[in-house]
């Protein structure tokens, strides 16, 4: 400790009075204004050492792995992954028939980080050609060739006879369309051919519907789909319009097989619907 008079203008050299600084320590110098015993103001200089507190360790920022959003095309692999990663009581699987997808939330109760995994149904190769035919107009000869090529999928009427029937319409010289109401009316066409010098008219009854039986998706059983046939004459020739009013019902039936498979293999909560997300609205 050193005592200095307030009126003394002297440079204080305290280097010799300070102890050598040791590692992990620091020197402290404090100056106090005090009144001496004789009533004269003096300054009291106090110096010392104290140990430094260790600096907190700086943690290196670690890059976070990207969020996962796996997409499965195999229902068995999808179920195996859910069984391994999901919490049975806090996971949810929703199936959406329109988008042909199933989406799973691995931990629905997690408030900060939720992982989604989805299954996307794959159209079966046997059904893909028929799907391209639905809701389109096809020239009658092209339709006859299509029916002949894929006749194994047609269960009603006979696929070969159906193809031959429509091929006759294209090969005819003159065609008269017949339609009406009642028991004695004919829904079809009248085909007129010329053999030598004689004309012959043959009535051809056209089927208004045919039924195919194919699996709609991979890993599903075959289902029956009814296709309505409308034959009409256009400026570009006779065409066949194909409609499938029961296709949505058949898809629902086929997709239900996926839902049952997930229920049996995972024991999770599975239902039909869509996963929705929105921001929280805080009420203060």
């Amino acid at each position: 400790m050193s005592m200095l008079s307030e009126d003394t203008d002297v440079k204080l050299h305290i280097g010799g009075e300070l102890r050598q600084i040791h590692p992990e320590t620091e020197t402290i110098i404090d100056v106090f204004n005090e009144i001496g015993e004789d009533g004269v103001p003096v300054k009291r200089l106090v110096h010392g050492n104290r140990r430094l507190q260790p600096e907190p360790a700086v943690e290196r920022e670690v890059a976070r792995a990207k969020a996962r959003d796996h997409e499965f095309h195999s229902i068995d692999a999808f179920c195996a992954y859910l069984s391994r990663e999901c919490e049975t009581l806090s996971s949810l699987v929703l199936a959406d028939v329109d988008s042909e997808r199933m989406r799973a939330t691995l931990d629905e109760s997690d408030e900060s980080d939720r992982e989604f995994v989805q299954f996307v149904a794959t159209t079966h190769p046997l059904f893909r050609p028929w799907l391209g035919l639905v809701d389109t107009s096809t020239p009658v000869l092209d339709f006859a060739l299509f029916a002949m090529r894929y006749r194994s999928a047609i269960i009603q009427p006979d696929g070969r006879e159906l193809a031959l029937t429509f091929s006759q319409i294209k090969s005819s010289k003159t065609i008269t369309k017949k339609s009406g109401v009642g028991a004695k009316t004919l829904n079809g066409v009248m085909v007129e051919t010329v053999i030598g010098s004689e004309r012959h008219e043959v009535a051809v009854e056209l089927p208004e519907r045919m039924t195919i039986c194919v699996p709609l998706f991979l890993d599903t059983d075959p289902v029956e789909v009814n296709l309505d046939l409308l034959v009409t004459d256009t400026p570009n020739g006779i065409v066949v319009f194909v409609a499938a009013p029961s296709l949505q019902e058949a898809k629902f039936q086929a997709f239900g097989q996926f839902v049952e498979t997930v229920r049996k293999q995972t024991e999770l909560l599975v239902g039909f619907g869509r996963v929705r997300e929105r921001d929280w609205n805080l009420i203060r």
Side-chain angles (χ1 to χ4, degrees):
M1 179 179 70
S2 301
M3 304 295 292
L4 297 177
S5 171
E6 186 176 12
D7 297 333
T8 303
D9 186 10
V10 180
K11 292 184 179 180
L12 178 63
H13 299 281
I14 60 175
E17 299 182 8
L18 301 179
R19 292 181 299 171
Q20 186 179 0
I21 301 176
H22 299 284
E24 299 183 356
T25 63
E26 64 179 352
T27 300
I28 304 171
I29 301 176
D30 290 327
V31 178
F32 298 93
N33 294 321
E34 297 181 353
I35 302 298
E37 296 180 356
D38 54 357
V40 179
V42 295
K43 293 183 181 294
R44 185 165 60 91
L45 182 66
V46 179
H47 61 83
N49 291 87
R50 70 178 180 184
R51 182 172 294 278
L52 294 174
Q53 296 294 329
E55 294 290 339
V58 178
E59 296 184 0
R60 187 181 63 179
E61 185 176 352
V62 180
R64 186 177 181 184
K66 293 183 177 180
R68 293 174 292 178
D69 189 11
H70 300 317
E71 180 178 294
F72 289 87
H73 294 171
S74 168
I75 190 63
D76 292 332
F78 181 67
C79 293
Y81 186 84
L82 294 183
S83 299
R84 188 184 69 184
E85 300 293 336
C86 284
E87 294 291 339
T88 304
L89 298 180
S90 59
S91 299
L92 175 66
V93 183
L94 292 179
D96 182 15
V97 181
D98 293 335
S99 64
E100 300 177 0
R101 297 171 182 266
M102 299 179 69
R103 198 176 188 193
T105 309
L106 298 189
D107 189 356
E108 186 72 18
S109 62
D110 193 338
E111 297 181 357
S112 59
D113 191 9
R114 296 176 183 175
E115 179 183 352
F116 296 100
V117 180
Q118 63 181 346
F119 164 76
V120 179
T122 303
T123 303
H124 200 282
L126 295 179
F127 178 61
R128 188 174 291 115
W130 294 96
L131 185 60
L133 192 68
V134 173
D135 294 334
T136 61
S137 297
T138 307
V140 66
L141 182 57
D142 292 343
F143 180 80
L145 295 175
F146 181 92
M148 180 63 72
R149 182 178 181 181
Y150 299 104
R151 62 184 181 274
S152 59
I154 304 174
I155 60 175
Q156 187 179 359
D158 181 76
R160 181 180 176 83
E161 293 181 0
L162 180 71
L164 292 176
T165 298
F166 280 90
S167 64
Q168 292 179 34
I169 300 175
K170 188 64 177 180
S171 62
S172 66
K173 181 179 180 181
T174 304
I175 300 174
T176 304
K177 186 177 180 181
K178 300 291 184 179
S179 62
V181 179
K184 296 183 179 181
T185 59
L186 173 65
N187 292 317
V189 295
M190 186 69 70
V191 178
E192 179 183 316
T193 59
V194 178
I195 302 177
S197 60
E198 298 182 359
R199 295 179 179 272
H200 300 272
E201 290 187 349
V202 180
V204 178
E205 184 76 18
L206 297 180
E208 298 180 351
R209 174 177 293 181
M210 67 177 178
T211 304
I212 61 174
C213 184
V214 291
L216 303 187
F217 306 108
L218 291 178
D219 301 326
T220 60
D221 298 328
V223 295
E224 294 185 4
V225 180
N226 295 322
L227 302 178
D228 291 342
L229 307 177
L230 174 62
V231 182
T232 183
D233 193 8
T234 66
N236 297 325
I238 298 178
V239 297
V240 181
F241 182 81
V242 181
S246 64
L247 180 58
Q248 191 64 21
E249 180 182 356
K251 280 187 175 182
F252 190 88
Q253 178 182 350
F255 214 82
Q257 298 179 26
F258 292 136
V259 174
E260 289 302 320
T261 300
V262 176
R263 285 175 178 170
K264 292 179 180 178
Q265 295 190 18
T266 66
E267 298 181 355
L268 298 175
L269 176 61
V270 186
F272 289 93
R274 296 179 182 178
V275 176
R276 297 292 190 188
E277 293 180 294
R278 63 173 179 83
D279 296 331
W280 289 99
N281 295 323
L282 299 181
I283 301 177
R284 298 184 182 277

